[in-house]
Amino acid sequence: MRGPLGAVIGRYPSSDGSEQMGSIIRHNRKCRDLVFLVIFIAFWVAMIVNSSFGFNQGNPLRLTYGLDYKGNVCGDKHAKGLRQLELKYWLNPNQVYLSGLKDNQFKLANARSICLLDCPTPSEDSLSWVCDYPEGDIRLSMDDWIDRNYDYYEFLTPEMRNTSLQLQGPCYPVIFPSVNVYWSCQFIARPSNVSLRHWQQMGGVNINEDIIIDKSIHRSINSRSSVLKRYMADIGKAWPVLIVCGGILPLFLSVIWLLLIRHFVAAMPWITVGLFNILIIAVTMFYYLKAGWIGNDAISPIIGEHDPYIRISGRELTHLRAAAVFMTFITVVAVLTSIAIVRRILMATSVLKVAAKVIGEAQALMIFPVIPYTILAIFYMFWFSAAFHLFSSGQVVQNDCNLNCCVYDLLSKRVNCDRCCGYSIHYTRHIGVAILFHLFGGYWATQFFIACSSTVIAGSVASYYWARGETSPEIPFLPVFSSMKRLVRYNLGSVALGSLIVSFVESIRFMLESIRRRLKVAGTTPDNWFGKAVYHTSRFSLRCIEWTIKSANRNAYIMIAITGKSFCKASAIATDLIFSNILRIGRVNVIGDVILFLGKLCVSLSTALFAFLMLDTHRYRSAHNKISSPLFPVLVCWGLGYVVATLFFAVVEMSIDTIILSFCQDSEEHQGTAQYAPPLLIETLNDQNDMQRLTQGPQ
């Protein structure tokens, strides 16, 4: 059974047996949950080692550019002469054709490819060639080779010309026009009649002209792994957008929201609901614009100028359209929900007034979130950089294709049939484990810093409450920093445990959701009504468990800040207190939480909207920094904006929860009359008749 907390949070006996009132939180404490603090530190060491592996093995250029016939990454400054050659071009059209046949074992990864500055186009009056990198007897520099449009056919010996006519190199004819699609030259299955005629007159081997040559490259570019790499590359290319829209903008908007809550608390619930509806509709409209359903601004996989009659669609456009449909559903539900809570907004105003008055008295609370914000910003810069290297890690190895393909080797001056296979990046299973470990570590660290921030705020607000809201020598001059000191000295292990539980439950939900999607794709989802009921009930139950744990954790952090207990004991105290006063807390606090949640969404939606606007500029629509889709950069900005808003909105959120929990405990210990409630709190609650709601139990 839970005993009175007055000896812990309101008073404690002195050495002479008398009770010291108002000694508040400065009672004897000791370090709690040290085992989990050690686990958290060990986890961070493992994160550093894991990230070091990524920095050592990864190359973010692999996320965007392809490999040439030597295994070099196009555009790699460390590869000789390839710094400005970013486009991957397949030299042998017949190999591309074979890779598109269903009954043929030849893969496009084994087709001979080279890095170029631009995609070649057939000549209008002659036959153009693209030749291998100049070496051996070809006395040309890379710059001269580029200036000659990659063509040194006139310098070839008769033997080299003969092998070139057999499509064995070192020069290959340009028969098909090609267009830059995500830094790869995709053939257009419309061969040049002039070039084809010249090729045939020279005695070249037959070249297949089927549309398969188009589809084979498109299938490779549009594969799931290629799309995932491009999404990761988009995040890297859009790093200025992430800094502005995911870091600076939400900081600015969150501070403004806190100031407005402080000075215009009566109007803020109405402003928040109205602004939320406007922003979610605006973001949905941008999804429609980029999906091509409104206007002519749909994303295109083609980079640079091209024939307007050439139309190529990518998987990214399909994903954007799915996101637009999903956002439409969310928008409709959100608007209807906001209309339903309009009548309850006045109740939210009264509970927000409590937080506004607390913030006004302890003004350091408005500045404190800058500290965890700065720590998280530094952590995210390291985390994202490591993530890019982990996703691009792996060894470049030559494929073992076992095919009868032969190419002319300029160095050995002969046709080589032994090493004609292409190169690919070999991924091992431990790389996948390293990526999952990194993702889990990022989520755990985020939850940890948010929990630390919440605990510090709760300790500060509790100091304010149990001093009757007055300036007292028992209250430190800067309660925020005093609360930080207690957290660092005694409670980091408890916070690590709470954040670990949330991360663990969220990871399980993510894995089950992944399994569900795979079963859905495989067509093995249950067909009978009982199976479907169990299937959907389990999903709903898991979400309810996740929400309950997050809510319980938040209240546990409050009791940790007040009592100094371990996480489990603090959680038990908080849960008992909540269940004992469920009607008292719920009627006042739920609507307030809804308004705060909408406020966080307003900040994050604003960052998403500005991210769309920044990504719509010329810098990200063409040339070197073109992104394949705004989807992932916008989602990352949205998520970062929500995390930043959570840090700052916790000032209001934790203030409300701490005040109400302290008020309920105070009332319970003093026969329904709160002894420590500050005059500002009593005045606010009396204004809205909330005192009666809090102090009266169920009838």
Side-chain angles (χ1 to χ4, degrees), residues 438-620:
H438 191 71
L439 294 175
F440 178 81
Y443 190 79
W444 187 8
T446 300
Q447 292 297 322
F448 176 81
F449 289 121
I450 291 176
C452 287
S453 177
S454 300
T455 306
V456 171
I457 294 170
S460 305
V461 176
S463 297
Y464 165 83
Y465 179 89
W466 294 100
R468 296 182 172 89
E470 301 173 353
T471 303
S472 168
E474 302 293 342
I475 295 293
F477 178 73
L478 290 176
V480 172
F481 292 102
S482 179
S483 183
M484 287 177 58
K485 180 181 177 181
R486 290 193 299 271
L487 169 70
V488 174
R489 186 172 180 181
Y490 301 112
N491 303 125
L492 283 179
S494 300
V495 171
L497 173 57
S499 56
L500 175 61
I501 292 174
V502 173
S503 304
F504 184 71
V505 172
E506 185 69 16
S507 300
I508 292 177
R509 192 180 69 82
F510 175 79
M511 288 188 291
L512 292 178
E513 186 69 14
S514 300
I515 295 174
R516 182 190 68 84
R517 290 178 180 177
R518 290 189 179 184
L519 291 176
K520 187 175 181 180
V521 171
T524 57
T525 53
D527 295 328
N528 56 31
W529 68 269
F530 180 77
K532 290 182 177 180
V534 173
Y535 178 70
H536 293 290
T537 302
S538 61
R539 291 183 61 198
F540 177 76
S541 299
L542 199 58
R543 283 192 174 274
C544 289
I545 292 172
E546 177 194 357
W547 179 86
T548 303
I549 288 178
K550 286 184 177 181
S551 178
N553 274 15
R554 191 172 69 186
N555 292 296
Y557 297 144
I558 295 173
M559 303 313 296
I560 287 172
I562 295 175
T563 67
K565 299 291 185 181
S566 65
F567 176 82
C568 294
K569 289 184 178 179
S571 181
I573 293 173
T575 303
D576 190 15
L577 189 61
I578 290 171
F579 276 104
S580 299
N581 301 273
I582 187 66
L583 296 180
R584 304 175 185 179
I585 295 176
R587 295 178 63 183
V588 177
N589 206 20
V590 170
I591 295 298
D593 284 346
V594 171
I595 296 299
L596 290 172
F597 177 67
L598 293 181
K600 296 176 192 177
L601 288 180
C602 283
V603 173
S604 57
L605 285 170
S606 298
T607 62
L609 186 62
F610 275 88
F612 267 123
L613 294 174
M614 286 191 67
L615 294 171
D616 205 35
T617 57
H618 177 75
R619 173 185 174 90
Y620 301 105

Side-chain angles (χ1 to χ4, degrees), residues 96-136:
V96 177
Y97 173 81
L98 290 176
S99 67
L101 297 176
K102 294 182 179 180
D103 56 350
N104 197 290
Q105 296 182 353
F106 192 87
K107 304 298 181 183
L108 187 62
N110 293 315
R112 194 169 182 82
S113 59
I114 195 171
C115 300
L116 303 178
L117 187 62
D118 48 17
C119 292
T121 55
S123 174
E124 296 181 356
D125 54 4
S126 62
L127 179 61
S128 299
W129 301 82
V130 173
C131 304
D132 290 343
Y133 302 128
E135 53 189 354

